[in-house]
């Protein structure tokens, strides 16, 4: 909270300076208010000639501010007003400003002596040299330091505490107002987001329903018009869209993903006529193991779009999969298309060093997603020779559960 709201955010400095000045003159106590870092808020009021003189030098002011800061920390440590000696041996008082348990600053005063013997202990010559002040003025100012009773210090503490509590009360009101405004803004944003989500959910319900009905109507028309290939194409598209839109399972079986990929490949081969072919040879043994959703399809799409689409004479996409002797599953998506850009291959080879610089590329996202689920021993590996072949290997654990447990390995 002290980082969110500062004393300067609460106090109108000029107005508070005027109030502090008037109060100091009425009670005849010197007073200064500092923030949590020891910086004075406004000016110091009713200070003794000695303290005014010391603070008139840059070094003296620096040391006094540092001393005020340490006094504020002392008061915060004990969470109550304190009487202490300043860096030059004077008796001072400090009261912490605490609002909602947070230290926002302190109110200080005093600048007196309670024993005449302490006056002689103040080294005028050292002060003159260290602070660059005329020796005679320093001696005169030391002679003007008030000599008071212990009761005076206690009264000074009470006054400082009164001012500190006044500021703390203002602070708490300010914090409550800020929190209320923040919560109001957050609630408004949440309401807007909720309405947007409701609209999106409604659209997600309406649009697919309309789309599937329309596609089914077109398929029946194709049947009536004796166009079985068109009918088959539309039904495959319906099934593919239905799987992608309705499948909310994070880790479907490999079997379900392969069936979806078959429909995608069927549509693409019809689109490209006899230019592009496909083969799927996946060991039935691994079909009931689990795979993160939407891992295969981006790789197959990449083979078409970046590998075969621009190749004049077309080519073949091959998908294979098996269980390895070390009890892992490896699924390979291969094509004989254009191949990967050398820069992509270099970036992939240096993935651990360049991680995070290629988040816009689906291949890198898929690789990092798999490693995030299962550890660094899993993910993608690529071999590519331009215009000859490209192989993307997906390495997975043998997972039969619906949800994975993060599988750490020795390389993590």
């Amino acid at each position: 909270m002290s980082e969110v709201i500062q004393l300067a955010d609460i106090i109108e400095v000029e107005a508070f300076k005027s109030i502090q000045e008037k109060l100091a003159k009425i009670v005849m106590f010197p007073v200064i208010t500092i923030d949590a870092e020891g910086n004075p808020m406004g000016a110091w009021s009713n200070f003794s000639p000695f303290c005014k003189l010391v603070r008139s030098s840059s070094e003296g002011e620096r040391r006094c501010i540092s001393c005020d800061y340490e006094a504020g920390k002392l008061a915060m440590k004990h969470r109550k007003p304190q009487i202490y000696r300043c860096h030059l041996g004077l008796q001072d008082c400090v009261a912490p400003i605490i609002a909602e348990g947070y230290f926002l600053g302190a109110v200080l005063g005093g600048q007196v002596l309670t024993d005449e013997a302490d006056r002689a202990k103040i080294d005028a010559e050292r002060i003159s040299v260290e602070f660059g002040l005329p020796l005679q003025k320093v001696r005169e100012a030391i002679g003007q330091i008030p000599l008071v009773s212990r009761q005076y210090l206690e009264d000074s503490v009470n006054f400082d505490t009164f001012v500190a509590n006044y500021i703390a009360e203002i602070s708490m009101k300010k914090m409550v107002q800020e929190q209320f405004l923040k919560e109001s803004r957050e609630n408004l944003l949440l309401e807007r987001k909720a309405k947007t989500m409701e609209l999106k959910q409604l659209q997600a319900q309406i649009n697919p329903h309309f789309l599937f009905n329309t596609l089914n109507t077109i398929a029946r028309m194709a049947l009536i018009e004796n166009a079985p290939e068109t009918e088959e194409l539309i039904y495959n598209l319906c099934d593919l869209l239905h799987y992608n839109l309705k499948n909310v399972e994070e880790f479907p079986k490999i079997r379900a993903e392969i069936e979806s990929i078959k429909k995608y490949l069927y549509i693409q081969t019809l689109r490209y006529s006899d230019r592009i072919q496909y083969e799927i040879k996946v060991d039935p043994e691994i079909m009931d193991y689990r795979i993160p959703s939407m891992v295969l399809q981006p790789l197959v799409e990449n083979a078409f779009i970046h590998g075969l689409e621009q190749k004049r004479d077309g080519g073949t996409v091959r998908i294979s999969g098996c269980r390895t002797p070390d009890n892992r599953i490896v699924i390979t998506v291969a094509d004989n298309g254009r191949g990967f850009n050398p820069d992509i291959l270099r970036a992939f080879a240096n993935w651990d060093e360049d991680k995070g610089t290629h988040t816009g590329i689906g291949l890198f996202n898929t690789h990092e997603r798999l490693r995030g689920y299962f550890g660094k021993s899993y993910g993608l590996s690529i071999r590519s020779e331009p215009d000859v072949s490209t192989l993307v290997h997906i390495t997975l654990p043998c997972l039969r559960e619906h949800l994975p447990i993060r599988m750490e390995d020795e390389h993590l």
Side-chain angles (χ1 to χ4, degrees):
M1 179 68 74
S2 60
E3 294 178 357
V4 175
I5 187 166
Q6 302 292 332
L7 202 53
D9 300 325
I10 300 165
I11 297 175
E12 177 60 48
V13 176
E14 289 304 316
F16 179 76
K17 175 182 174 183
S18 176
I19 294 171
Q20 178 179 276
E21 189 74 26
K22 290 176 182 177
L23 285 172
K25 286 181 179 179
I26 292 172
V27 298
M28 297 302 292
F29 290 128
V31 60
I32 183 172
T33 302
I34 62 171
D35 63 16
E37 284 74 44
N39 303 309
M41 302 298 299
W44 17 275
S45 305
N46 210 32
F47 269 29
S48 69
F50 176 75
C51 291
K52 287 181 180 178
L53 178 63
V54 171
R55 289 187 184 240
S56 69
S57 78
S58 58
E59 178 61 18
E61 182 180 36
R62 186 190 69 78
R63 293 196 194 180
C64 286
I65 289 176
S66 176
C67 182
D68 291 343
Y69 172 67
E70 293 300 325
K73 288 202 304 182
L74 174 68
M76 182 57 194
K77 177 183 177 181
H78 295 282
R79 303 185 77 81
K80 63 180 182 180
Q82 300 290 312
I83 296 175
Y84 69 100
R85 285 190 182 276
C86 77
H87 66 111
L88 293 176
L90 277 64
Q91 294 272 44
D92 270 349
C93 309
V94 58
I97 302 171
I98 302 174
E100 296 293 328
Y102 294 95
F103 176 60
L104 298 180
V107 179
L108 302 96
Q111 304 175 355
V112 295
L113 299 173
T114 55
D115 188 336
E116 185 62 39
D118 290 335
R119 197 185 304 273
K121 296 177 182 178
I122 301 175
D123 191 339
E125 292 184 357
R126 180 180 65 82
I127 293 172
S128 173
V129 172
E130 291 183 0
F131 300 154
L133 298 171
L135 179 59
Q136 184 58 35
K137 285 189 175 183
V138 173
R139 286 173 173 166
E140 290 175 359
I142 292 174
Q144 294 175 315
I145 298 173
L147 181 66
V148 302
S149 66
R150 187 72 182 181
Q151 183 61 47
Y152 176 94
L153 284 176
E154 291 177 2
D155 292 341
S156 180
V157 165
N158 291 335
F159 173 69
D160 293 344
T161 303
F162 167 79
V163 177
N165 290 342
Y166 169 73
I167 298 173
E169 185 177 347
I170 296 174
S171 303
M172 285 187 285
K173 289 179 180 178
K174 182 76 171 180
M175 289 177 181
V176 170
Q177 290 174 352
E178 291 289 334
Q179 186 65 24
F180 176 76
L181 290 174
K182 179 182 177 182
E183 290 176 357
S184 297
R185 286 192 292 266
E186 288 176 350
N187 287 337
L188 182 60
L189 287 173
L190 286 173
E191 287 176 8
R192 289 178 179 172
K193 286 182 179 179
K195 289 179 180 179
T196 302
M197 289 298 295
E198 287 175 6
L199 178 60
K200 287 183 177 180
Q201 287 176 357
L202 183 61
Q203 290 172 335
Q205 292 170 2
I206 294 174
N207 293 343
H209 182 71
F210 172 76
L211 179 61
F212 293 141
N213 283 346
T214 303
L215 288 172
N216 282 323
T217 300
I218 296 172
R220 287 195 296 271
M221 290 176 62
L223 177 62
I224 293 170
E225 294 171 359
N226 195 26
E229 194 169 286
T230 302
E231 179 192 13
E232 181 68 15
L233 172 63
I234 294 170
Y235 280 133
N236 273 276
L237 177 59
C238 277
D239 290 342
L240 180 62
L241 290 173
H242 188 274
Y243 181 80
N244 288 337
L245 291 172
K246 298 296 183 180
N247 179 34
V248 294
E249 193 171 11
E250 189 178 3
F251 288 84
K253 291 183 178 180
I254 293 174
R255 183 189 311 281
E257 289 288 289
I258 292 295
E259 288 301 316
S260 176
I261 290 298
K262 283 181 180 178
K263 298 181 189 305
Y264 172 80
L265 291 169
Y266 175 82
I267 293 169
Q268 288 289 54
T269 52
L270 284 181
R271 177 186 171 198
Y272 291 102
S273 187
D274 59 352
R275 286 183 55 237
I276 296 178
Q277 306 297 321
Y278 71 88
E279 296 177 3
I280 297 178
K281 293 183 179 179
V282 177
D283 190 335
E285 180 193 3
I286 71 169
M287 286 296 198
D288 288 327
Y289 286 107
R290 302 281 174 170
I291 183 173
S293 63
M294 294 302 293
V295 166
L296 270 176
Q297 185 163 321
L299 303 182
V300 176
E301 287 179 357
N302 187 79
F304 271 94
I305 297 170
H306 300 291
L308 301 175
E309 193 174 64
Q310 299 175 9
K311 193 173 180 181
R312 185 183 298 274
D313 54 350
T316 302
V317 175
R318 293 181 173 86
I319 300 173
S320 59
C322 65
R323 185 172 179 173
T324 63
D326 60 348
N327 204 33
R328 299 185 182 200
I329 291 172
V330 175
I331 300 174
T332 302
V333 178
D335 68 81
N336 57 350
R338 300 291 296 274
F340 277 103
N341 183 304
D343 292 336
I344 297 293
L345 294 176
R346 277 194 295 271
F348 210 86
N350 299 316
W351 171 257
D352 287 322
E353 289 76 19
D354 298 339
K355 180 179 175 182
T357 61
H358 303 282
T359 54
I361 300 175
L363 202 67
F364 291 92
N365 292 342
T366 300
H367 180 54
E368 182 61 16
R369 184 176 163 218
L370 291 171
R371 299 205 326 171
Y373 280 134
F374 307 122
K376 290 186 178 181
S377 293
Y378 301 92
L380 305 183
S381 60
I382 303 172
R383 288 190 300 164
S384 184
E385 186 176 351
D387 295 315
V388 177
S389 66
T390 295
L391 293 89
V392 180
H393 301 290
I394 309 166
T395 304
L396 304 164
C398 293
L399 182 72
R400 289 189 182 275
E401 299 297 325
H402 286 262
L403 293 174
I405 298 173
R406 174 64 183 268
M407 302 179 66
E408 305 288 347
D409 59 39
E410 68 276 9
H411 302 295
L412 285 178

